[in-house]
Structure formats: structure tokens, C-alpha cells
Amino acid sequence: MPIKVWIDRDECISDMVCVSLCGEVFEMSEEDGKSQIIAQFRVNDDVSQGVVPDDLKDCVESAAESCPVSIIHFEEQ
Ligand code: SF4
């Protein structure tokens, strides 16, 4: 099942933990220096949300659990 992922970007402290743990899904924005979903997985061109294949669930989960401000969320679609 695909995984819906979203980031409450307003609260991002730009420490890059998610990118280190799951660079397949997350990257840092050159616009505002905050985490965003990579273009390939974005929904409606929104940098804060995406849908990823389920083989990336563990990757997303580890990023979500390690984000120091707990702003990465995911659920099975
Ligand atoms: S781990 Fe959390 S706070 Fe750190 S860059 Fe990623 S989304 Fe932002």
C-alpha cells in the first residue's frame, strides 16, 4: 500500500536528520532551508506532502521517529 507522507514545515528546524536517514524521500529546500518531499513523490506540486511506495515505509518511519520536533507524519493509504 502506498504511504502518504506530510511535513509540518513551519516547525522545521533544518537539522537535516530526515535527509540523513531517508534521502530517498526528503531533501532540504534551497528556497527556505527547510525539509521538503522530493519532487518525484510530491502531491499537487506541494513540497510538504507526498505519496511514496510502501518499500520506503521503513525509511519514512525512521525519519519520522527521529525528527526532533516530530513534524513528519505518515499513514498507509
Ligand atoms: S528531521 Fe524534522 S526538523 Fe529536522 S530537517 Fe527533517 S523535518 Fe526538519
Side-chain angles (χ1 to χ4, degrees):
M1 235 184 276
I3 309 295
K4 180 182 174 187
V5 187
W6 66 102
I7 312 166
D8 293 332
R9 298 186 74 249
D10 287 350
E11 310 295 325
C12 178
I13 58 171
S14 307
D15 66 351
M16 296 185 68
V17 168
C18 55
V19 177
S20 302
L21 292 172
C22 189
E24 296 95 326
V25 175
F26 303 97
E27 66 182 8
M28 302 310 289
S29 166
E30 291 180 7
E31 302 284 317
D32 61 11
K34 297 183 177 184
S35 174
Q36 64 185 17
I37 306 293
I38 67 167
Q40 178 186 350
F41 297 130
R42 276 176 214 159
V43 173
N44 299 330
D45 228 16
D46 181 346
V47 297
S48 69
Q49 59 175 306
V51 174
V52 304
D54 62 357
D55 61 349
L56 289 172
K57 183 182 177 186
D58 288 350
C59 169
V60 168
E61 191 166 15
S62 68
E65 287 177 352
S66 300
C67 173
V69 286
S70 304
I71 56 168
I72 297 172
H73 310 285
F74 65 96
E75 65 182 20
E76 289 183 358
Q77 283 208 310

